[in-house]
Structures are given as structure tokens and as C-alpha cells.
Amino acid sequence: MKTYSISEVAKELNLTVYTLRYYDKEGLIPYVERTTSGIRVFKESDIDALKVIECLKATGMPIKEIKTFIDWCSDGDSTLQQRYDMFLDRKAHVEAQMEELKKTMEIIDHKCSYYKNALDARTEDIHKNTKIGISIPN
């Protein structure tokens, strides 16, 4: 079985060694083994777990809630429903974030078009119907 050092894992996941140590300290990676001298030794399953942690973090989930999820995983099948419900909640949260980003992109697209047209005409005067070029789509 291949093992990885903390620096190899940090590089692989684009994290800092400090972040990985913090995750370990917070109990997010409880199965990471250590050598007799205390050096962390990561397995492929640890890297997979870290990818899930990073995914949850990207949704805005606080470390404390991620720790609860990790604890549920350690508890086994008795927490399958809680874990499923948590991911359904995360999915709804991400869908809401995506809707907000979609609205933001519509405004950005509109402003790109606005300024492209003004640049092509070499004046903003072509947009006299809008105030200070702030008109946004509905």
C-alpha cells in the first residue's frame, strides 16, 4: 500500500502543511497513522477523506459541522440517515449559491455588453437612456 508524507498530500490537494496539521488537530482526519517518531503517514483513503472535507468547506460548511460529519462516519451505519440528510442540505445550499452566481453573471454579462458597445461607438452617449451606465437586466 502506497503512503504519502504530509508535504506530498499538501501538494496533491493544493493545501498547506499547516492546514493539514490543523485538520488533524481538529479531529477531521482521525485515521491518519503516525510513525513511531510521530510523523503522519497518509494513505489513499485519507486523501479521499480530505477531498470530501475540502468539498464541504467549499460549500461554506463550518469546521465544527464537518467534524460532526466525520464523527458520524466513525459511528458507522447508525448515522447513514444523518449523513444523507446533511448532503441533501449541502446540495440545496450549493444550488442556492449557484442561483446567486447566475444572477451575478447576468449583471456582469450585461455590463460587458454595455462597455463593449460604448467602446465600439467610442462614447457612452449611446446609452443615454440609462443613468451612469448602471442599468441592469431584470
Side-chain angles (χ1 to χ4, degrees):
M1 172 187 348
K2 178 147 175 54
T3 60
Y4 305 87
S5 69
I6 194 168
S7 59
E8 289 172 321
V9 173
K11 184 176 180 182
E12 167 78 18
L13 298 177
N14 198 27
L15 297 171
T16 65
V17 168
Y18 172 83
T19 298
L20 292 172
R21 287 184 183 131
Y22 173 73
Y23 287 173
D24 190 21
K25 182 175 131 301
E26 292 299 314
L28 299 183
I29 44 177
Y31 301 111
V32 171
E33 295 175 7
R34 290 179 182 254
T35 65
T36 52
S37 57
I39 297 170
R40 293 170 187 86
V41 178
F42 292 81
K43 298 178 299 238
E44 203 65 47
S45 59
D46 298 319
I47 294 172
D48 291 342
L50 284 162
K51 288 176 182 176
V52 173
I53 291 166
E54 286 303 295
C55 171
L56 293 172
K57 247 185 82 195
T59 72
M61 181 180 265
I63 294 291
K64 183 178 178 185
E65 290 179 33
I66 296 172
K67 170 69 167 101
T68 299
F69 167 70
I70 299 298
D71 291 344
W72 286 341
C73 291
S74 297
D75 291 342
D77 289 348
S78 64
T79 62
L80 284 172
Q81 186 67 52
Q82 289 100 316
R83 288 182 270 162
Y84 175 69
D85 292 344
M86 185 209 72
F87 272 98
L88 286 178
D89 178 65
R90 286 291 96 194
K91 182 179 179 188
H93 184 80
V94 169
E95 286 170 343
Q97 286 176 318
M98 289 171 66
E99 280 304 310
E100 285 302 311
L101 284 172
K102 196 167 145 185
K103 291 176 189 173
T104 300
M105 184 58 82
E106 287 172 5
I107 293 170
I108 290 171
D109 282 343
H110 173 75
K111 295 312 294 177
C112 286
S113 175
Y114 173 93
Y115 287 111
K116 173 73 172 114
N117 290 336
L119 280 167
D120 289 347
R122 296 179 182 249
T123 180
E124 253 185 302
D125 288 348
I126 64 167
H127 298 295
K128 283 188 177 183
N129 296 349
T130 62
K131 296 183 178 183
I132 318 174
I134 315 180
S135 174
I136 57 174
N138 293 332

